[in-house]
Amino acid sequence: MDPITLSRWQFALTTIYHWLFVPLTLGMGWFVAFMQTRYYQTRDETWRKMAKFWGKLFLINFAIGVVTGIVQEFQFGMNWSEYSRYVGDIFGAPLAIEALLAFFMESTFLGVWIFGEGRVPEKVHLASIWLVAIGSNLSALWILLANGWMQHPVGYVINEANGRAELVDFFALVTNPKGWIFFWHTISDGLATAAFMILAVSAWHLVRKQNVDFFKRSFHMGALVGLIASVLVFLGGHTMGQYMYETQPMKFAAIEAHWETSAPADFSIITIGDLSGKREVWSFRTSQIGIPGVLSFLACNNFSCEVKGVDELQAEAVAQYGPGDYVPLMVVTYWTFRIMMTFGFIMMGAAAWFLWNTRRKDYENAKWMKLVPFGALFLPYLANASGWILTEMGRQPWIVYGLLKVEDAVSPNLTVLDLWISLIGYTVVYGALAVVMVKLMVKYAKAGPDAAMHESVDVAPALVGADD
Amino acid sequence: MSYEMLQTIWFILIAILWIGFYFLEGFDFGVGMLLPFLGKKDEERRAIINTIGSVWDGNEVWLLTAGGATFAAFPHWYATMFSGFYLALFLLLVGLIIRGVSFEYRSKNPDPKYRNRFDWMIAIGSFLPALLLGTAFANLARGVPINENMMYTGNLFTLLNPYGLLGGLTTVAIFLLHGANFLSLKLEGELRERVNGFAKKLWIVATILYVILGIFTYTAGFWARGIVNPGIVPITAIVVLLVAGYFINNKMEGWAFIMVALNIVLTQVTFFTMTFPNVMISSTNPAYSLTIYNASSSQYTLTVMSIVALIFVPIVLAYQGWTYYMFRKRISTEKKTLVY
């Protein structure tokens, strides 16, 4: 493999891996902060235990998100030095601000939260978990503003003298709608992911009749927040689609396997392409079940507007940027979108179903409780990964849309050997981390709230003395 | 403000971030490296970890902020250095990854073998970054092969020259000493006695290495290659290190810590003054060197970032300082007082 391909694989691997852990961090922080606040207000011991138990799972997950995040910040320079030179004047700013505003806040106050109980005033301890939650979500905002700029560059000029892009309007960068829609989609997705984690773990205990009050309260919270959050995720996604139609029409068309410009445009339910991914072999579209214009609706909220097709957009791009292939890998964009969307809809339905059933007193005895909440846990994870792959692959061949191609962004000094060493190295380290982390999550999730009050779930409370 | 003034300010600000990182993470790297050697029983090891438990993560952010600030203010510096030192940085990242995770995971299982494995990962994960950063900085002082396109043309082994390695080992030794001094301020009882014994020996090793590094730097002509002569700063750095020996041997722990901390700060000040206004000296041709002028962002970006820094740096310093104050008490190895 050539250096570009290896760098791309490495970026994909490290980013998707990082993104497996981050949504839970983003969402679970709010849950824990809320629970601890309820304890502070009510002095109800169950709230305290809830904050402790879900807080333990939060911490086990948090550690991996943090350490894999460091790799993210460094590898722009390490693997994509030409990118860094070309857009560093703009892209570096949100990254530096992310470190200054968000990383310091979340890591400093996480330390206070873990070690501060009984050492700092209770109000300060409570404030620290809120600051952790705010800090991690602020971090998401700044990195998404940075990514939003890559998808839809604003507030810059090309400086002819030194041949790079330079920032001229910081306000445009921080108000880029692309970034804010990403942020909306992402933080609600974080909440949904955390909600489904809570639902799955709670159901496991409820089926076994352990800590029923504790886990019922958790399950109700999970169902309610899960429903609200997944609706917000959907609305954010819909808004994102419409903005994409305006700003990244090629991505929009590639996601829908929409080859030919049409008005009204038809939505594909299933399309099978040929092996090159450039041609349609067979498709089944909404018009065939009597609802035409669905894609037009997705693009602009009416059933008849024109949606440009891949072929026309390719011709336009060639005219604008010169010869080349400007179509993303459609088999990936098309299917990741369908996985994400389908799973998102199932999540909405599942959360509504769970919430509906909590009206019954003995829902924990229902048969579906044994498998459904646990199975549903895989939905947000697969949807998260798909969404991330979609947004990055849909931008190809560009690293900054319309400005710089991925092939021109890679570090020219790296050898194939360098890249194999790091790619294999990350794979091994990340693989081992995943094994340890999942084992610990399962162990602590199964051990339940009483064990979470102590040092380690394997140590009997009598041996420990104090509860932390 | 003039463009050149802004470039100078950002160079100083990045220098401050590195100084802060070396000072803060310096002792927690030291603590990490000492962990398996100093702590015999599990409670001891937990107590050692807890001396930095609440702060190490915040300390590490100084590195991330230095990286981010370099990206924003000097994109070419960031691009050339990070792609050039590729494998060294990869190893550094592996170190930081296994270390960070181990702090959180090491007590999650009572099996001594399990805990021991993670404690060693903390030690190795602290050693690797210390060694690699020291090596990288020594090479920056020495000069590295950079061509006319600001591209690094060496490889990992280019960095592993005697001067680079000496820089790495010296950094490891100083961080060990710094960590030992920090621990003697934070621990009590037998463990405190033990770490004071360690500090005495470490001081000898660190001082010898440091003096050799100083002589090497001076005689090899890596001295004042920029426009500023560091003057008495490095001399003071050596003096405070020697004075630290006196305090260590007389159990004046607070003063010993301050002196070694000063040594670290002054060493970094020396590094940044003796290269200024260069940020990466080219050993291929001095004309190819990266300077604060040819590597920087636009005046607009530097202005915006200055405003951001002016507002938020004081806030960060205030709350980080406050956490050190909050957790200022010594850590006992008594089981029921330990946070796991």
Side-chain angles (χ1 to χ4, degrees):
Chain A
M1 274 199 269
D2 59 289
I4 295 173
T5 311
L6 286 167
S7 275
R8 293 175 73 157
W9 272 108
Q10 183 171 307
F11 196 84
L13 173 90
T14 52
T15 311
I16 293 167
Y17 187 86
H18 178 61
W19 185 238
L20 284 178
F21 302 97
V22 172
L24 187 64
T25 297
L26 294 178
M28 195 64 100
W30 299 121
F31 275 99
V32 177
F34 176 79
M35 291 162 181
Q36 194 169 329
T37 307
R38 293 297 292 146
Y39 171 69
Y40 183 79
Q41 291 169 334
T42 63
R43 296 291 145 188
D44 174 350
E45 204 49 33
T46 305
W47 284 118
R48 178 171 130 87
K49 283 189 178 179
M50 280 170 78
K52 277 264 179 186
F53 174 74
W54 299 111
K56 273 272 197 286
L57 299 187
F58 170 73
L59 288 176
I60 293 169
N61 177 73
F62 191 93
I64 301 223
V66 167
V67 295
T68 54
I70 310 173
V71 176
Q72 295 309 106
E73 197 200 353
F74 280 25
Q75 68 179 341
F76 293 111
M78 289 170 73
N79 293 72
W80 307 96
S81 65
E82 297 316 290
Y83 167 79
S84 304
R85 291 182 205 284
Y86 190 72
V87 303
D89 193 74
I90 305 148
F91 189 84
L95 249 67
I97 296 173
E98 182 190 17
L100 189 59
L101 246 67
F103 291 168
F104 269 122
M105 193 195 274
E106 60 175 343
S107 54
T108 305
F109 289 101
L110 189 74
V112 175
W113 189 65
I114 299 174
F115 289 88
E117 197 174 11
R119 283 172 179 74
V120 299
E122 194 185 357
K123 270 187 192 170
V124 174
H125 188 245
L126 177 62
S128 66
I129 187 66
W130 280 103
L131 289 168
V132 172
I134 293 168
S136 55
N137 282 271
L138 259 185
S139 151
L141 173 65
W142 286 97
I143 198 63
L144 290 170
L145 284 174
N147 187 268
W149 188 83
M150 295 167 80
Q151 308 280 348
H152 177 52
V154 289
Y156 73 97
V157 291
I158 303 295
N159 183 334
E160 300 293 343
N162 56 24
R164 69 175 180 191
E166 291 187 350
L167 187 63
V168 289
D169 187 352
F170 181 69
F171 188 71
L173 176 79
V174 299
T175 54
N176 187 352
K178 200 88 181 181
W180 283 95
I181 301 169
F182 278 161
F183 182 59
W184 164 11
H185 194 58
T186 301
I187 58 164
S188 40
D189 166 61
L191 276 170
T193 305
F196 275 79
M197 175 63 79
I198 289 175
L199 286 164
V201 175
S202 302
W204 191 89
H205 286 279
L206 285 174
V207 166
R208 284 161 185 76
K209 307 272 187 293
Q210 297 161 354
N211 296 288
V212 174
D213 177 45
F214 178 103
F215 283 111
K216 271 197 165 174
R217 201 182 286 182
S218 304
F219 194 87
H220 291 198
M221 268 183 85
L224 180 64
V225 176
L227 178 60
I228 297 169
S230 50
V231 170
L232 287 172
V233 172
F234 164 73
L235 293 175
H238 181 59
T239 313
M240 192 187 292
Q242 301 197 324
Y243 198 67
M244 190 199 299
Y245 163 74
E246 286 170 32
T247 57
Q248 294 178 287
M250 176 63 95
K251 191 179 188 176
F252 189 85
I255 284 173
E256 300 298 349
H258 182 65
W259 272 280
E260 282 162 31
T261 303
S262 56
D266 212 359
F267 181 78
S268 150
I269 296 170
I270 289 181
T271 295
I272 308 287
D274 68 2
L275 287 176
S276 73
K278 303 282 182 209
R279 266 306 125 218
E280 176 177 316
V281 175
W282 176 83
S283 75
F284 182 64
R285 288 168 183 275
T286 46
S287 58
Q288 284 161 271
I289 52 170
I291 333 171
V294 172
L295 185 56
S296 294
F297 180 79
L298 289 178
C300 44
N301 278 351
N302 81 55
F303 284 92
S304 57
C305 71
E306 180 186 272
V307 178
K308 278 190 182 171
V310 168
D311 293 342
E312 186 181 342
L313 290 162
Q314 163 68 17
E316 280 179 10
V318 169
Q320 193 178 351
Y321 306 111
D325 184 355
Y326 296 91
V327 187
L329 197 55
M330 227 186 294
V331 65
V332 175
T333 53
Y334 181 85
W335 287 107
T336 49
F337 177 68
R338 266 142 196 84
I339 292 171
M340 177 184 76
M341 192 183 62
T342 311
F343 287 6
F345 278 121
I346 301 176
M347 281 164 69
M348 260 194 271
W353 161 260
F354 296 144
L355 190 62
W356 179 254
N357 274 281
T358 53
R359 293 174 317 126
R360 285 176 40 193
K361 277 214 170 71
D362 59 342
Y363 67 89
E364 69 270 25
N365 298 327
K367 264 189 187 160
W368 56 265
M369 278 291 279
K370 284 184 183 148
L371 278 177
V372 178
F374 181 71
L377 179 57
F378 293 91
L379 298 171
Y381 281 92
L382 290 167
N384 294 346
S386 301
W388 183 245
I389 295 169
L390 164 65
T391 205
E392 291 293 282
M393 290 292 282
R395 196 187 54 228
Q396 305 297 323
W398 302 104
I399 190 165
V400 181
Y401 196 74
L403 211 55
L404 184 71
K405 287 186 183 170
V406 172
E407 63 195 48
D408 300 322
V410 78
S411 303
N413 62 312
L414 298 185
T415 64
V416 171
L417 180 65
D418 289 336
L419 289 159
W420 273 116
I421 291 172
S422 59
L423 181 57
I424 293 172
Y426 284 128
T427 309
V428 170
V429 173
Y430 280 18
L433 282 187
V435 172
V436 177
M437 184 272 186
V438 171
K439 272 188 182 170
L440 284 176
M441 279 296 258
V442 171
K443 181 169 136 180
Y444 274 79
K446 280 185 177 175
D450 292 319
M453 308 299 276
H454 303 288
E455 166 204 338
S456 157
V457 292
D458 308 284
V459 180
L463 292 175
V464 178
D467 60 22
D468 49 11
Chain B
M1 221 183 289
S2 80
Y3 195 15
E4 285 184 12
M5 182 70 118
L6 282 166
Q7 287 162 328
T8 308
I9 287 174
W10 273 88
F11 176 82
I12 294 169
L13 197 65
I14 288 167
I16 290 172
L17 288 167
W18 280 107
I19 292 168
F21 172 73
Y22 265 65
F23 166 58
L24 293 169
E25 188 104 316
F27 64 72
D28 72 46
F29 279 155
V31 170
M33 287 187 272
L34 288 168
L35 174 68
F37 303 99
L38 188 64
K40 305 241 191 290
K41 288 180 292 192
D42 188 62
E43 291 79 23
E44 292 179 351
R45 290 202 176 170
R46 189 68 235 185
I48 292 167
I49 290 173
N50 285 7
T51 61
I52 54 168
S54 58
V55 293
W56 71 267
D57 199 1
N59 294 347
E60 203 162 290
V61 178
W62 285 76
L63 174 69
L64 302 186
T65 310
T70 309
F71 196 176
F74 300 102
H76 290 297
W77 183 8
Y78 173 77
T80 304
M81 185 160 77
F82 280 59
S83 63
F85 296 174
Y86 186 80
L87 286 179
L89 280 172
F90 163 70
L91 291 172
L92 178 140
L93 288 169
V94 169
L96 293 181
I97 289 170
I98 61 173
R99 175 178 184 268
V101 169
S102 301
F103 282 127
E104 179 59 34
Y105 289 177
R106 67 85 62 194
S107 289
K108 295 273 181 281
N109 188 328
D111 177 13
K113 268 191 203 152
Y114 171 96
R115 289 188 172 179
N116 192 44
R117 202 179 306 142
F118 278 103
D119 291 344
W120 275 100
M121 273 164 52
I122 291 174
I124 294 165
S126 305
F127 169 75
L128 270 180
L131 182 75
L132 292 162
L133 283 169
T135 307
F137 271 81
N139 274 288
L140 288 176
R142 182 179 183 264
V144 289
I146 293 172
N147 71 11
E148 68 275 22
N149 299 318
M150 296 186 171
M151 190 177 107
Y152 177 81
T153 54
N155 55 41
L156 178 65
F157 297 101
T158 318
L159 304 175
L160 303 181
N161 52 70
Y163 183 72
L165 288 171
L166 179 62
L169 288 176
T170 309
T171 306
V172 169
I174 293 281
F175 282 180
L176 278 165
L177 177 62
H178 193 34
N181 282 339
F182 179 78
L183 284 173
S184 62
L185 284 175
K186 296 294 285 185
L187 294 170
E188 54 185 37
E190 193 199 328
L191 210 45
R192 179 178 170 190
E193 297 304 316
R194 208 183 298 154
V195 79
N196 283 338
F198 271 56
K200 283 180 197 168
K201 289 176 197 143
L202 286 169
W203 176 78
I204 298 170
V205 180
T207 307
I208 292 171
L209 283 171
Y210 191 86
V211 171
I212 296 174
L213 181 71
I215 294 169
F216 200 152
T217 309
Y218 192 76
T219 53
F222 303 149
W223 200 233
R225 303 171 93 180
I227 52 172
V228 187
N229 190 316
I232 59 156
V233 178
I235 316 263
T236 319
I238 290 188
V239 170
V240 292
L241 187 59
L242 294 173
V243 173
Y246 170 81
F247 290 128
I248 289 167
N249 282 294
N250 288 284
K251 285 204 178 162
M252 298 166 80
E253 293 155 344
W255 284 106
F257 177 78
I258 291 170
M259 288 302 140
V260 174
L262 259 180
N263 167 269
I264 289 171
V265 170
L266 295 173
T267 307
Q268 286 303 104
V269 172
T270 307
F271 168 81
F272 283 103
T273 33
M274 76 190 199
T275 50
F276 180 85
N278 297 295
V279 291
M280 286 187 89
I281 295 168
S282 171
S283 58
T284 313
N285 180 344
Y288 302 156
S289 294
L290 276 71
T291 68
I292 62 167
Y293 308 116
N294 68 14
S296 90
S297 281
S298 63
Q299 185 164 5
Y300 178 80
T301 297
L302 291 181
T303 308
V304 170
M305 291 306 294
S306 299
I307 296 167
V308 172
L310 199 67
I311 298 170
F312 290 104
V313 170
I315 297 176
V316 169
L317 287 176
Y319 67 63
Q320 215 177 21
W322 168 82
T323 59
Y324 276 92
Y325 178 74
M326 277 306 205
F327 294 95
R328 65 191 178 282
K329 276 197 193 137
R330 286 183 185 270
I331 311 269
S332 142
T333 53
E334 214 172 313
K335 182 105 183 168
K336 68 177 195 307
T337 63
L338 284 174
V339 179
Y340 278 82

